[in-house]
Amino acid sequence: MAKLYFYYSTMNAGKTTKLLQSNFNYKERGMNTLLYTSVHDNRYGKAKIASRIGISENANTFDEYTNIYDDIKSALEKLTLHCVLIDEAQFLSKQQVKQLCGIVDDFNIPVLTYGLRTDFLGEPFEGSMYLLLWADELVEVKTVCFCGRKATMNAKVINGVVIRSGKQIDIGGNDKYTSLCRKHYKIGKLR
Ligand SMILES: [Zn+2]
């Protein structure tokens, strides 16, 4: 039976590299995949999933209006699909996570999602929250704080100071976000 997977972590832990590696494994065996990323993430140009280590793949985008279930349903009229992979899954809505459950349950297609567990204030993203609640498999992609402990928090850092307020969605690369353990996030120590 197919399953819904949620690979979660902090920023810069290598989630996208893992997504592209899984996609490669399917394609290497002659299987068809469909990739999605959020319209919010335009760091690497539109409709592209790119890893910091230099590999990339074309992707569809989703915004708040995208019905991923209907998308997949019509794609299935033209081809066999073996896997759906979704980057920036924290930006999914509750409704879209429900749609992903439907893809797994109705079409028996595995759905692999990759996203952040918390925002820079330590609050949940809607997509991640429902994936944590509803996914069949939760897989933590681990990375470390400068102190060597597991990093669980995303600190937004401007001029060396950890920012404690602001809007949840503000896309930035490595320069704006630092992955820290909870202790060092709380006291705002960066090194
Ligand atoms: Zn630490």
Side-chain angles (χ1 to χ4, degrees), residues 150-161:
K150 185 171 81 177
T152 54
M153 309 302 286
N154 298 301
K156 182 174 178 181
V157 181
I158 295 176
N159 297 326
V161 177

Side-chain angles (χ1 to χ4, degrees), residues 1 31 37 43 45 47 55 67 71 87 95 100 112 125 135 144 158 168-169 178 184:
M1 287 301 287
M31 294 171 154
T37 190
R43 279 179 292 173
I55 49 174
N67 187 321
D71 259 24
D87 205 12
Q95 200 54 39
L100 301 183
L112 279 55
F125 285 97
V144 289
I158 295 176
Q168 183 174 62
I169 297 177
T178 304
H184 288 130

Side-chain angles (χ1 to χ4, degrees), residues 145-147 149 181 184:
C145 178
F146 68 85
C147 69
R149 263 194 225 112
C181 71
H184 288 130

Side-chain angles (χ1 to χ4, degrees), residues 118-123 153-154 163-168 185:
T118 58
D119 69 12
F120 72 98
L121 299 172
E123 296 294 331
M153 309 302 286
N154 298 301
I163 304 300
R164 306 290 182 183
S165 65
K167 278 197 279 189
Q168 183 174 62
Y185 170 83

Side-chain angles (χ1 to χ4, degrees), residues 12-173:
N12 307 323
K15 289 185 298 300
T16 301
T17 305
K18 277 193 180 293
L19 181 155
L20 294 171
Q21 178 67 54
S22 293
N23 182 58
F24 181 83
N25 293 346
Y26 275 97
K27 291 192 127 177
E28 198 180 28
R29 294 180 192 117
M31 294 171 154
N32 298 321
T33 59
L34 258 187
L35 280 62
Y36 283 87
T37 190
S38 164
V39 286
H40 292 303
D41 186 10
N42 51 14
R43 279 179 292 173
Y44 302 99
K46 241 187 162 155
K48 190 158 257 202
I49 293 176
S51 161
R52 290 177 299 140
I53 64 167
I55 49 174
S56 68
E57 190 71 52
N58 291 328
N60 297 327
T61 54
F62 66 88
D63 61 20
E64 59 200 295
Y65 305 108
T66 310
N67 187 321
I68 304 172
Y69 184 90
D70 287 350
D71 259 24
I72 298 299
K73 199 176 171 189
S74 40
L76 287 172
E77 288 164 11
K78 289 168 234 139
L79 78 170
T80 310
L81 263 182
H82 298 95
C83 186
V84 176
L85 300 105
I86 303 198
D87 205 12
E88 305 294 347
Q90 69 272 10
F91 296 134
L92 294 164
S93 65
K94 177 182 181 181
Q95 200 54 39
Q96 286 166 331
V97 175
K98 217 175 248 183
Q99 290 163 12
L100 301 183
C101 294
I103 293 166
V104 172
D105 299 338
D106 300 350
F107 308 136
N108 200 31
I109 297 171
V111 177
L112 279 55
T113 66
Y114 300 77
L116 300 175
R117 186 164 68 161
T118 58
D119 69 12
F120 72 98
L121 299 172
E123 296 294 331
F125 285 97
E126 184 173 336
S128 310
M129 187 165 70
Y130 288 102
L131 283 165
L132 286 166
L133 295 173
W134 296 340
D136 299 292
E137 299 283 343
L138 301 173
V139 185
E140 186 170 26
V141 181
K142 290 178 186 158
T143 190
V144 289
C145 178
F146 68 85
C147 69
R149 263 194 225 112
K150 185 171 81 177
T152 54
M153 309 302 286
N154 298 301
K156 182 174 178 181
V157 181
I158 295 176
N159 297 326
V161 177
V162 175
I163 304 300
R164 306 290 182 183
S165 65
K167 278 197 279 189
Q168 183 174 62
I169 297 177
D170 175 18
I171 300 296

